Amino acid sequence: MKTLSLFLLFFPALLWAQTATVRGTVRDRDGKGVPFASVAVTGAPIGTTAGETGTFTLPDLPAGPLTLVASAVGYQPAQRALTAVAGQTQTVTLTLGGGQELGEVVVSGTLNPVARLESAVPVEVYNPTYFKKNPTPSVFEALQTVNGVRPQLNCNVCNTGDIHINGLEGPYTMILLDGMPIVSGLSTVYGLTGIPNSLVERIEIVKGPASTLYGSEAVGGLINIITKNPEKAANVAADAFVTGWGELNMDLALKAKKGAVTSLFGVNGFVYDRPLDKNGDGFTDMTLSKRISVFDKLTLARPEGRVASLAARYLYENRWGGQMQWTPEFRGGDSIYAESIYTNRAEIIGAYQLPIPGQNVQLSTSLNTHHQNSVYGTTVYRAQQNIAFGQLTSTHQLGRNQLLLGTALRYTYYDDNTPATATADTLRPGNLASQIWLPGLFAQNELRFNEHHTLLLGVRYDYNSRHGNIFTPRFNYKFSPDAQQTFRLSAGNGYRVVNVFTEDHAALTGARQVVFAEQLRPERSYNVNLNYQRLIPVGQGLLGFDASAFYTYFTNKITPDYTTNPNQLIYDNLRGHAVSRGLTLNTDLTFGFPLKAILGVTLLDVYQTGQNEEGALERSRQLLTEQFSGTFALSYTFARAGLSVDYTGNLYGPMKLPLLGPLDPRPAYSPTFSIQNIQVTKRLGSQLEVYGGVKNLLNFRPDRRSIARSFDPFDKQVVFDGDGRVVPTASNPNGLTFDPSYVYASNQGIRGFLGVRYTLTKGK
C-alpha cells in the first residue's frame, strides 16, 4: 500500500519528466527554408534558432499539448499547436510582411482593403514611427524623407509650397484625408499643415496617375493620410517640441467613448514669432506663423462591423514674411514690403456603409471651404473656394473576380479678385465666380487567377461642365513567381483641370501681370510603370528593395512662362508635349542586431518639347526639378539603456531655376545640396519619452541673392519701356525686377531641438 501511495504521489512528475525531441523546418510560402528563424515554445523557456536551411531541433520538450511559435525578420510570426512525441517532425510556414509591413492593409490603390503584398497597384506605406525619426511641425515638411517626394517652396518670402512626386509639380498631386479628396488647389499646402501628427495612423503614397478612381488632380500621384481609428487609439497622446530658432509645435489627441460612439479629438498649435535675417538680405529668413488646427473624428459601433464615421477639421493661420521692420500697420502699403496671409479652412468628411444584407455599399462625402485673405506687397488677393464631393461605391465578389462599381459628384465654387474670375465683357467689366459640376462613373475589376497572377482593369467617365466628356482607363498586372519577389506593370492615363491662381504662387508675388494666351484646355497624361519588389534574407537580417521605372507623356500641358517678359506671367497650352521619366529605388535593410537602414534614390528626366520663335520643336528642361535625389534613415537602438539614435537626410541634384532674363547674374542651376539631421530618443517607462537633436547638420543655406533686388521690392527704381519690359540702367545694369520666386530650399540653417512625447493607453 505504501508503494502504491508513493507511485500516485509522483506519477504527475514522472509524466512531466517524459520528454521528446521535435525536429522540423521553417519554410516560406514556396517551401523554401527560412534561414536563422527563431523557434520557441510558449509558456516555457525553451527555444532555438534555425540553421541556414531553416531546419531546427527542440530537445527535451515536455510531453503534452504545446504551442510552437516561429518568427524571422521580415516575416509575420506563426503559431502551430502540437503534442510532443519522440521522433516527430514539424513544418512551420511563415508569410513575408513583418519587417517591410507588406502584410499591412492598404486602400489607396484600389479603394478596397488589401494586403500591401497582394495589391496589384504599388503602394508605399509610412507609419508615424518613420516620421518620428525627424520630428516636424507638419506632414508637409515630414515628406522630405520620402524618396521621390519633395516638398517644394515656391516663395522666399511667404514660404508657400507644394509637393512634387517624381518631378511633377504640386498641382499634379492629389491629397486625400481618410480616402476623401481635399480637392482644393491649395491642398498640398493647407491640406498637409495643421493635421496633428498624434492622429495619423499611416500615410499611403501612390506614384503615377490614379484618375480612374479619383478623377482630376490625381495625375502625378496621390497622398492619402489615414487617421487613427478612435476605437483603437490611445486615451491620451501628446507631443511637443521647440527648436533653437524659437519654433514651438504642440500636438494633443484625446479619446472618449460614450455608448456606441467613440471620439478622437486632436489639436495642433504652431508658433514661430522670431524674425531672423542671418543671410543679410533685409528679409526674414523664415515666415513667421501662428497656426491652430482642431480635429475630431467620431465612429459609431454598428452591427456586423459596418462603417460609420464622421470627421471635421478647422484650420486658422496667420503668417507673414518680408522686410525685417514690417509690422501689420504696413499691410498693403508701398513703403515696407511683406507678404501677409490669413487663412480660414474647414473640412467635413464622412463615411457610411449602407445596411444592405450581404452587400458592401458605402457612401462617402467631403465638404470643405477655404477662405484666403492675402497681401503680397500692394497686391491684394482674396479668394473663396467651396467644394462638395460625394461618392457611392459597391463591391461584389464574383468567384475570383472582385468588382467595384462607383459613382461620384463634385461641385467646385471658386471666386477671387483676379482675372481668373473676371468677365470677358470689356465694356462691362465685372466678376463672375467659377462653378464646375463634375459627375462621374467608374468601374474596376480585379481578377485573381491564382496566388501568382492578378489582373486589374478599370475605366472612368467624367463629364466636366466646362470641358465636356473625359475618359480615363487603367491597367494593372501583378506577377509573383515566388513569395520573395513581385512584378507589377501599370498603365493608364490622367487628366487635370487647371485653376491657375490657386496653384501658382508666382502669379501673385512680385507684382507680375498675368496673361492668358488662350482658353486653357485640360491637360492629359499617359503613364507606364514597371515595379519590381524583392525580399532577400541576409544572415539573420533581411534586405528588401523596391524598384520602379516610369514614363509619363503629357499633352496640352500648361507651363507658366517666366522669361518672355520678366514683368508678366504667361499661361498657355504647350504646343508640343512634355515627358516625365525616370527610375526610383527604395531599399530597406534590417540586421540581426538593432540597426535598420532605409535608403532611396531617384533619377529623373523631366522636359518639354515646344515650338520656338522659328516654329521648330525645341526641348527644354522643366524648372525646379532635380535630375537625381536620395533619402536615407539610419536607426540604432540600445535596448537596455532605452536609447535610440536616428540619422536622417536627403540629397538633391541641381535644379534649373527661373531667371529674369539673359542678364540675370544669379546661377541658372542650384548646387547639389543635402539636409541632414540627427536625433537621440530616451524612453522613460512605457508612457514617456524625451528626444532631442540637431537639424540641418551641414548648415546648408541658399545663395543670399535668391531674392532679386531685395532692396527695392516695389520696383520704384526700375525703368520700364512702353511694352512693360525692364530697361537696363546704371543703377540696374542687369535689368532686374524684384522677384522672390528664385527658390529651391529653405533659408533655415543649423538648429537644435528638444521635445517630449506622452502616451496613455487604456488601463494604464
Side-chain angles (χ1 to χ4, degrees):
M1 186 68 179
K2 184 176 180 180
T3 303
L4 178 60
S5 299
L6 291 173
F7 177 78
L8 293 175
L9 179 64
F10 290 103
F11 180 69
L14 293 172
L15 286 178
W16 182 258
Q18 294 178 7
T19 61
T21 298
V22 173
R23 295 177 174 83
T25 305
V26 181
R27 303 183 183 277
D28 62 20
R29 189 184 66 186
D30 297 318
K32 298 179 180 178
V34 177
F36 308 113
S38 297
V39 184
V41 175
T42 59
I46 301 174
T48 187
T49 300
E52 293 187 10
T53 60
T55 58
F56 67 89
T57 300
L58 285 173
D60 302 325
L61 289 182
L66 303 170
T67 301
L68 203 65
V69 179
S71 62
V73 175
Y75 293 82
Q76 298 177 6
Q79 295 185 355
R80 185 178 182 86
L82 60 90
T83 300
V85 178
Q88 187 178 24
T89 300
Q90 293 287 332
T91 299
V92 184
T93 302
L94 299 183
T95 302
L96 285 167
Q100 288 264 321
E101 296 176 331
L102 295 177
E104 201 165 26
V105 173
V106 296
V107 296
S108 300
T110 63
L111 285 182
N112 285 320
V114 61
R116 183 183 169 205
L117 181 66
E118 301 298 329
S119 175
V121 179
V123 180
E124 297 181 15
V125 180
Y126 299 90
N127 58 34
T129 301
Y130 180 77
F131 294 115
K132 286 179 181 178
K133 299 176 187 294
N134 178 36
T136 58
S138 70
V139 177
F140 175 81
E141 295 179 43
L143 292 172
Q144 64 186 287
T145 55
V146 176
N147 183 34
V149 177
R150 183 169 68 85
Q152 164 65 34
L153 294 178
N154 294 326
C155 176
N156 276 300
V157 179
C158 72
N159 292 161
T160 299
D162 56 27
I163 300 293
H164 290 203
I165 293 182
N166 286 345
L168 296 177
E169 301 98 320
Y172 298 92
T173 300
M174 172 167 274
I175 307 300
L176 306 172
L177 184 61
D178 285 336
M180 286 291 95
I182 308 174
V183 284
S184 164
L186 289 170
S187 64
T188 52
V189 179
Y190 299 103
L192 293 178
T193 57
I195 298 177
N197 293 331
S198 302
L199 297 179
V200 177
E201 177 179 296
R202 67 184 187 275
I203 295 178
E204 299 180 5
I205 298 176
V206 177
K207 299 174 181 176
S211 292
T212 300
L213 288 181
Y214 297 100
S216 179
E217 283 93 42
V219 177
L222 64 90
I223 299 172
N224 190 5
I225 303 168
I226 309 294
T227 60
K228 294 179 180 177
N229 183 340
E231 297 179 4
K232 299 179 180 179
N235 287 19
V236 180
D239 191 345
F241 70 86
V242 63
T243 73
W245 275 48
E247 302 162 272
L248 174 63
N249 185 76
M250 295 174 288
D251 274 331
L252 176 65
L254 301 174
K255 172 184 173 180
K257 186 172 184 178
K258 185 174 182 180
V261 178
T262 305
S263 167
L264 183 59
F265 173 81
V267 61
N268 168 260
F270 175 78
V271 177
Y272 171 65
D273 198 20
R274 181 185 175 190
L276 292 174
D277 178 25
K278 294 191 175 183
N279 64 3
D281 63 359
F283 277 70
T284 54
D285 290 339
M286 180 183 171
T287 302
L288 286 78
S289 176
K290 297 177 181 178
R291 182 177 67 236
I292 184 73
S293 177
V294 181
F295 180 95
D296 194 17
K297 183 176 182 179
L298 303 172
T299 57
L300 174 66
R302 300 177 61 205
E304 301 181 14
R306 293 191 179 100
V307 175
S309 66
L310 181 66
R313 182 171 75 108
Y314 172 74
L315 168 74
Y316 172 77
E317 184 178 46
N318 176 2
R319 62 191 294 158
W320 75 271
Q323 293 180 293
M324 291 289 291
Q325 62 270 37
W326 185 87
T327 54
E329 58 263 28
F330 293 103
R331 192 174 195 260
D334 65 352
S335 58
I336 299 178
Y337 186 92
E339 298 182 3
S340 171
I341 303 171
Y342 303 148
T343 299
N344 282 277
R345 181 179 177 88
E347 301 159 357
I348 298 176
I349 298 172
Y352 182 77
Q353 188 176 347
L354 301 183
I356 302 176
Q359 299 292 324
N360 183 7
V361 181
Q362 182 165 306
L363 175 65
S364 303
T365 61
S366 68
L367 302 170
N368 69 70
T369 179
H370 182 106
H371 178 74
Q372 185 168 323
N373 180 345
S374 305
V375 173
Y376 303 89
T378 58
T379 301
V380 178
Y381 173 60
R382 294 188 177 92
Q384 179 71 43
Q385 183 164 273
N386 304 319
I387 298 174
F389 178 83
Q391 180 172 275
L392 184 67
T393 58
S394 177
T395 305
H396 306 271
Q397 191 70 44
L398 306 174
R400 296 179 180 178
N401 295 271
Q402 187 176 58
L403 179 64
L404 173 71
L405 301 175
T407 180
L409 175 64
R410 181 193 306 177
Y411 169 75
T412 303
Y413 172 93
Y414 176 78
D415 191 18
D416 66 17
N417 62 323
T418 74
T421 56
T423 60
D425 190 345
T426 57
L427 298 178
R428 295 181 178 180
N431 191 67
L432 182 64
S434 169
Q435 300 185 63
I436 298 176
W437 290 92
L438 188 64
L441 299 170
F442 57 92
Q444 171 186 277
N445 184 60
E446 185 175 46
L447 172 59
R448 294 182 181 272
F449 297 97
N450 49 47
E451 62 183 8
H452 300 294
H453 299 272
T454 301
L455 177 64
L456 180 69
L457 299 174
V459 64
R460 184 185 184 104
Y461 164 74
D462 286 309
Y463 178 78
N464 187 290
S465 59
R466 178 178 293 178
H467 300 289
N469 302 315
I470 302 174
F471 291 92
T472 47
R474 75 184 298 188
F475 164 89
N476 296 87
Y477 171 68
K478 182 178 79 74
F479 171 57
S480 300
D482 54 49
Q484 295 184 339
Q485 55 183 337
T486 300
F487 295 87
R488 294 180 177 92
L489 176 64
S490 305
N493 74 346
Y495 74 97
R496 186 174 74 96
V497 178
V498 177
N499 191 338
V500 170
F501 284 86
T502 61
E503 295 170 356
D504 203 322
H505 178 262
L508 300 165
T509 189
R512 287 176 179 257
Q513 178 189 2
V514 176
V515 176
F516 294 95
E518 62 178 2
Q519 180 67 36
L520 300 179
R521 301 184 301 277
E523 297 182 350
R524 300 300 299 262
S525 69
Y526 305 86
N527 173 271
V528 176
N529 183 301
L530 178 62
N531 173 261
Y532 176 61
Q533 194 173 67
R534 180 70 187 269
L535 296 178
I536 305 174
V538 180
Q540 297 186 33
L542 181 75
L543 170 64
F545 64 87
D546 189 315
S548 293
F550 58 90
Y551 181 93
T552 305
Y553 181 94
F554 290 91
T555 61
N556 290 339
K557 194 172 191 297
I558 299 171
T559 304
D561 180 358
Y562 293 85
T563 58
T564 298
N565 186 331
N567 214 38
Q568 291 182 339
L569 199 60
I570 304 172
Y571 290 93
D572 194 3
N573 285 107
L574 180 67
R575 289 171 174 78
H577 65 272
V579 170
S580 171
R581 60 184 180 181
L583 302 170
T584 181
L585 173 66
N586 292 313
T587 60
D588 188 332
L589 182 57
T590 303
F591 298 88
F593 51 96
L595 174 65
K596 186 178 180 64
I598 301 174
L599 307 172
V601 62
T602 297
L603 304 178
L604 293 171
D605 183 19
V606 184
Y607 64 90
Q608 64 184 35
T609 301
Q611 293 180 347
N612 57 22
E613 296 181 356
E614 290 75 28
L617 291 178
E618 186 176 70
R619 172 172 164 165
S620 61
R621 180 176 165 184
Q622 180 174 289
L623 292 173
L624 297 172
T625 300
E626 65 280 10
Q627 289 187 310
F628 65 88
S629 65
T631 58
F632 66 86
L634 304 175
S635 302
Y636 192 91
T637 302
F638 300 89
R640 291 186 177 180
L643 283 174
S644 60
V645 180
D646 298 294
Y647 181 43
T648 60
N650 50 49
L651 175 71
Y652 297 116
M655 309 174 201
K656 185 179 179 181
L657 301 174
L659 299 179
L660 294 177
L663 299 179
D664 194 328
R666 296 174 296 179
Y669 289 87
S670 64
T672 298
F673 67 95
S674 176
I675 306 295
Q676 300 179 18
N677 321 284
I678 191 167
Q679 174 185 251
V680 177
T681 303
K682 169 65 176 177
R683 293 200 63 86
L684 302 172
S686 60
Q687 301 173 3
L688 185 66
E689 63 182 25
V690 178
Y691 59 92
V694 180
K695 290 178 177 288
N696 197 358
L697 278 168
L698 303 181
N699 197 27
F700 172 78
R701 305 179 69 191
D703 192 309
R704 67 179 300 272
R705 300 173 297 170
S706 295
I707 301 179
R709 293 185 64 83
S710 59
F711 58 88
D712 183 23
F714 297 100
D715 291 338
K716 294 182 178 181
Q717 303 172 32
V718 178
V719 178
F720 299 93
D721 62 17
D723 295 327
R725 300 178 185 275
V726 181
V727 178
T729 61
S731 61
N732 186 18
N734 301 114
L736 304 180
T737 62
F738 172 73
D739 181 52
S741 63
Y742 180 97
V743 57
Y744 54 90
S746 170
N747 281 315
Q748 271 194 302
I750 187 171
R751 59 202 182 279
F753 65 94
L754 182 65
V756 59
R757 296 189 186 98
Y758 175 78
T759 304
L760 176 64
T761 57
K762 186 176 181 180
K764 296 288 185 178

